[in-house]
Amino acid sequence: MSSKTKIIVLHMKEIIYTAVFAVFGILILCLLFFMFSSGNGKHSDVRKTYNPGVYTSSVHLNNTDLNVEVAVDETRIQSIRISNLDESVAAMYPLLQPAIEEIAQQICDTQSLENIELPSDTPYTSQLLLNAIDEALKKAVVS
């Protein structure tokens, strides 16, 4: 019974490179796991509860105050509209009504003020309306 002895020569550089790549691979896998796992707080289905009613917030355009009304029930945003939009203001700001309708549709569909796509033709007015809607919803939230 003769046994042949095998000698393996490992270079230290190769061992270090292998260890570093293994650590990077594990870090990338952990990062991917945490990014795409459904357990993070961003995707939780926690709904806000509201005091049912109609809440208003005012928007000041030129020399006119407009009231943005947000109607809510206990768990949902039902509707959003501008309550005192007369013909002269509508003529001065013709894109105001389409902007509020588009924003209201998105908010009622998603039940959230996050990730709302503002109309490209009226970004500043739309942001002003979105801020007014947010202010009205803060009044409605049960604390």
Side-chain angles (χ1 to χ4, degrees):
M1 301 225 169
S2 69
S3 66
K4 293 186 177 179
T5 306
K6 293 184 180 180
I7 299 175
I8 299 173
V9 178
L10 298 175
H11 297 281
M12 192 56 129
K13 236 188 233 186
E14 293 173 1
I15 294 174
I16 292 174
Y17 287 153
T18 305
V20 168
F21 287 132
V23 168
F24 279 140
I26 292 171
L27 285 175
I28 288 173
L29 288 175
C30 290
L31 179 68
L32 290 173
F33 175 75
F34 287 119
M35 282 178 53
F36 296 113
S37 68
S38 63
N40 58 9
K42 291 181 183 178
H43 300 292
S44 63
D45 194 25
V46 176
R47 297 206 179 250
K48 293 183 180 179
T49 55
Y50 302 108
N51 289 320
V54 177
Y55 297 89
T56 61
S57 178
S58 62
V59 175
H60 188 73
L61 287 176
N62 219 349
N63 288 326
T64 307
D65 284 330
L66 302 174
N67 291 330
V68 175
E69 288 184 353
V70 179
V72 296
D73 64 10
E74 292 177 351
T75 59
R76 293 188 51 85
I77 301 168
Q78 295 296 323
S79 66
I80 300 168
R81 70 182 189 99
I82 298 177
S83 63
N84 58 344
L85 183 64
D86 60 356
E87 290 181 20
S88 63
V89 175
M92 285 178 27
Y93 300 102
L95 298 176
L96 187 65
Q97 188 64 30
I100 191 75
E101 289 172 359
E102 186 174 334
I103 292 171
Q105 181 66 37
Q106 290 180 46
I107 292 173
C108 290
D109 288 346
T110 63
Q111 294 296 310
S112 174
L113 295 179
E114 296 177 10
N115 301 324
I116 300 296
E117 294 181 23
L118 300 178
S120 61
D121 50 352
T122 60
Y124 302 113
T125 305
S126 299
Q127 185 62 47
L128 187 68
L129 292 171
L130 194 60
N131 291 343
I133 293 166
D134 184 39
E135 185 179 321
L137 280 176
K138 285 180 183 175
K139 294 176 186 177
V141 172
V142 174
S143 50

